[in-house]
Amino acid sequence: MADTLTVHRAGLTTVQDLGRPGRSRHGLPVNGAPDQYAARVANVLTGTDESAPLLEITAADFSCTPSADVLVAVTGAPADLTVDDVPRPRWEPVVVRAGETIRVTGIRVGVRAYLAVHGSVESPYLLGSCAPDTILGFGRTLRDGDQITVRTALRAPIGHPVYGIPLFRVHASVPRLAETTAWTIDVTDGPDLAEFGDSADRLFRSEFTVTPQSNHIGLRMSGDVPRRTATGEVLSRGVPVGAIEVPAGDELLVLHRGRGVTAGYPVLAVVTATGLDALGQARPGQAVRFRRRTVAEAVAAYRLQRARVEALKTRVRTVFDAHRIP
């Protein structure tokens, strides 16, 4: 049965998923949620497939009302989640009755929150993904008054009949975003590291600041930028998501999930998969420091993150089975 979420305050909200992995060979950016961990966990908390569509709320406040009882979860940047003005926990499943208003407000420290719904959120697809692509002009950006079609099998009340106490807590692992200090972002060596000579160490001993010209395509960062000592021409070639490029000038360019697939700037380092999630929350003015890691260390960190997601799936499945949630 199809129900709806009626959007009252859209802010800067899109329908998002994990993007189009493997499409770079066709010249398409991968796109998808910049903070992949938060998006995955939001879906897992609602018993939904990791890659299912969900709402990405960027910086501004958001509110909506479901036409039926729904189970939702909000993850990502620290923010305030209320249901009919009653505070509810983030990074946990939350039951919302038909006609109650969900509000995600006061996003702070980071920049993106993710709202997932048990069941499915309907959205147009392009090459297997609903992820917006600003180059192609594809994707759904929400506006005040929009109705989002959702399909949910939640039909029985869940929670304490009098006090509204939730019957489950599944304790997702929540990343900590520092409020007053620089974030530490892990990187591995890039293919052109040797071309920077001794100045390459500036990347690891200096602090950089995200500038207002940053977006999901790439983050521009100001600071003590390393200088390339080689003088040869750099030919255009394929570049990975997370490449730290050093163009001529006083900024670093860190390519994110909306990046083009080729470029001709020297690549000093590459941000790890877990580091990219953190950068997906970086807003203008955020200070970051880069930490050098081996490929083996980067892989181990990602495997640990994946293990946490799989363990969360098991806990959610156990709780949902106990409450007969499909």
Side-chain angles (χ1 to χ4, degrees), residues 301-315:
Y302 182 69
R303 285 177 174 170
L304 177 60
Q305 186 186 81
R306 290 298 308 154
R308 288 171 176 164
V309 173
E310 292 303 318
L312 179 64
K313 283 182 183 179
T314 300
R315 295 197 298 275

Side-chain angles (χ1 to χ4, degrees), residues 6 54 75 189 240 271:
T6 300
L54 75 172
T75 63
D189 290 348
V271 179

Side-chain angles (χ1 to χ4, degrees), residues 244-258:
I244 300 179
E245 296 185 325
V246 187
D250 297 321
E251 291 181 326
L252 295 178
L253 179 57
V254 185
L255 303 184
H256 218 288
R257 299 186 62 81

